Amino acid sequence: MRPWAGLFAAGWIGLGAPALAAGPAPQAVTAPEAKARFAAFLETLRPDAEARGIAPRTFEAAFAGVTGPDPDVLARTRKQGEFARPVWDYLVGAVSTRRIALGQAKAARLAATLSAIEARYGVPRWVVLAFWGVESDFGASAGSVPTVRALATLAEARFRGTLFRDELLAALTILERGDITPARMTGSWAGAMGQVQFLPSSFLAHAVDFDGDGHRDIWNSEPDALGSIASYLKALGWNPALSWGYEVVLPAGFDLARYRENLSAFARRGVRRTDGKALPEAGVASLFLPGGLGGPVFLITDNFEVIRAYNTSDSYALAVGHLADRLGGAPTLAAPWPDKAPRLDKAGLQALQAGLAERGLYAGEADGRAGPKLREAVRRYQIAEGLPADGYATPALLERLRARP
């Protein structure tokens, strides 16, 4: 089972999240009806909780004072952003000068802890710190919404089917094991918890007690939070021998259709890193042009997909990777972003997905998200049409698709 984590991303949830595909928003009801339904839901939850070994006293303590759904949480389910933020807008906040300076100060203060984490999990300190910075601004913005109430609200409303019911039961399991108390179990409106923004299932699978005090505390213990990030990344398949990716310059006339191969092969084809360093000889990478040919060009490795497994947004993954580089002393991106170029909104992306699906090039929901699945479909269409295969979805591409049924 792939755990969910980091529910604050560059998708519709807000500051960074596996952009969960939006299900239907819960319907509004009167306050007395809502409380009655909520109480009935809790009674249906008891047998499942008991079957998982959750004691009645734990169940009662978890729901003490929780007499109805949280209206603020329900309101958030109805405020799903219509337009996707371009990656360059997201990077402005995620990789700011202030955040870089703060992260480097944290690295100096926690040097011994980070060295121990590197030795145990094989994940570089700058990567661990970057996740910490993007997820919660190094613990300063971990969220203050009571997790049990948030999850119960979403579960009772059947938002996203049974996902949040399962996460609620996982949260009760955490409370039963004594890692945290109900009052201190807080996080985002969607149930992501603590400084690392793990959902409860991710906590159960990957959180660690790195400070050795007998509790896995991602809310208050910096060593536990950092160790848990590294533990999760190792489980997701982080390769210590590779970076997440490299900003590169392509030679004139470069064949974009050959976009995935060995790093050494890219070097032989004239691809060069913008920082002047040599590309590694080992490892496989893919071209990634998040702003098309008019913006920065990257070679991304399988570690980029590890970052995306933590949070499924391309913008999030690029922000974590670039922040890790900047924390380690690398310069800012060399190429400018095409911030004035026209771009597709959510409706346009959905129309493009539908049009590509009609041609057998795209399989999946027309969700209006410009992720790797759409990128691959666009590349296939561009190759078939004899266009530069940068994989970037543009209004001009949609118009061409509409004009050539």
Side-chain angles (χ1 to χ4, degrees), residues 354-367:
L356 292 170
E358 290 177 0
R359 288 159 176 76
L361 298 174
Y362 179 84
E365 179 186 359
D367 56 8

Side-chain angles (χ1 to χ4, degrees), residues 161-328:
T162 63
L163 169 65
F164 290 106
R165 181 188 180 94
D166 294 339
E167 292 297 338
L168 177 57
L169 290 167
L172 296 176
T173 301
I174 295 169
L175 295 174
E176 180 65 32
R177 295 181 181 181
D179 281 311
I180 196 73
T181 64
R184 295 170 63 206
M185 181 184 268
T186 56
S188 78
W189 70 267
M193 306 182 304
Q195 299 184 33
V196 300
Q197 292 295 286
F198 279 3
L199 281 179
S201 61
S202 297
F203 178 98
L204 291 174
H206 302 292
V208 297
D209 173 22
F210 204 80
D211 62 14
D213 70 351
H215 299 284
R216 299 184 293 174
D217 186 359
I218 61 172
W219 295 267
N220 306 289
S221 167
E222 291 177 337
D224 286 5
L226 295 169
S228 296
I229 291 170
S231 167
Y232 189 22
L233 294 176
K234 181 179 180 180
L236 289 170
W238 184 271
N239 183 348
L242 291 175
S243 173
W244 66 273
Y246 312 92
E247 188 187 4
V248 298
V249 176
L250 303 179
F254 187 82
D255 181 8
L256 292 170
R258 294 168 55 197
Y259 56 86
R260 180 170 176 83
E261 55 189 347
N262 292 330
L263 284 162
S264 57
F266 278 114
R268 287 193 299 272
R269 294 170 61 196
V271 178
R272 298 289 180 263
R273 289 173 58 168
T274 58
D275 61 7
K277 298 178 181 178
L279 286 170
E281 294 194 4
V284 177
S286 301
L287 281 172
F288 177 44
L289 296 86
L293 281 171
V297 180
F298 302 91
L299 286 178
I300 54 174
T301 72
D302 289 344
N303 281 341
F304 187 85
E305 293 308 311
V306 170
I307 299 175
R308 288 190 73 258
Y310 194 110
N311 181 313
T312 59
S313 160
D314 281 347
S315 296
Y316 175 93
L318 186 58
V320 167
H322 185 47
L323 179 59
D325 290 348
R326 297 299 307 280
L327 291 172

Side-chain angles (χ1 to χ4, degrees), residues 7-23 76-85 154 159-160 164 189-190 313 346 367 369:
L7 275 180
F8 276 111
W12 56 270
I13 288 182
L15 202 217
L20 289 176
R76 290 295 295 270
T77 68
R78 302 184 184 102
K79 292 180 180 177
Q80 299 164 18
E82 182 179 357
F83 302 102
R85 293 170 64 191
L154 296 168
F159 186 65
R160 292 285 299 165
F164 290 106
W189 70 267
S313 160
K346 181 177 180 180
D367 56 8
R369 294 184 57 217

Side-chain angles (χ1 to χ4, degrees), residues 131-151:
F131 274 96
W132 190 28
V134 173
E135 287 295 342
S136 67
D137 200 22
F138 307 106
S141 301
S144 59
V145 179
T147 297
V148 169
R149 184 175 184 184
L151 290 173

Side-chain angles (χ1 to χ4, degrees), residues 37-133:
R37 280 192 355 189
F38 191 82
F41 164 74
L42 293 187
E43 290 307 311
T44 68
L45 192 69
R46 285 182 187 273
D48 290 341
E50 291 176 5
R52 294 195 181 201
I54 297 162
R57 65 179 180 280
T58 302
F59 191 95
E60 296 299 335
F63 290 103
V66 183
T67 59
D70 186 327
D72 291 335
V73 169
L74 291 175
R76 290 295 295 270
T77 68
R78 302 184 184 102
K79 292 180 180 177
Q80 299 164 18
E82 182 179 357
F83 302 102
R85 293 170 64 191
V87 60
W88 46 91
D89 281 357
Y90 184 68
L91 287 180
V92 168
V95 192
S96 64
T97 301
R98 180 199 67 82
R99 181 165 285 173
I100 293 166
L102 181 56
Q104 290 173 334
K106 296 281 188 183
R109 182 171 63 80
L110 296 166
T113 297
L114 290 164
S115 293
I117 288 171
E118 284 179 332
R120 183 179 301 182
Y121 299 109
V123 181
R125 66 188 62 205
W126 307 120
V127 172
V128 173
L129 285 166
F131 274 96
W132 190 28

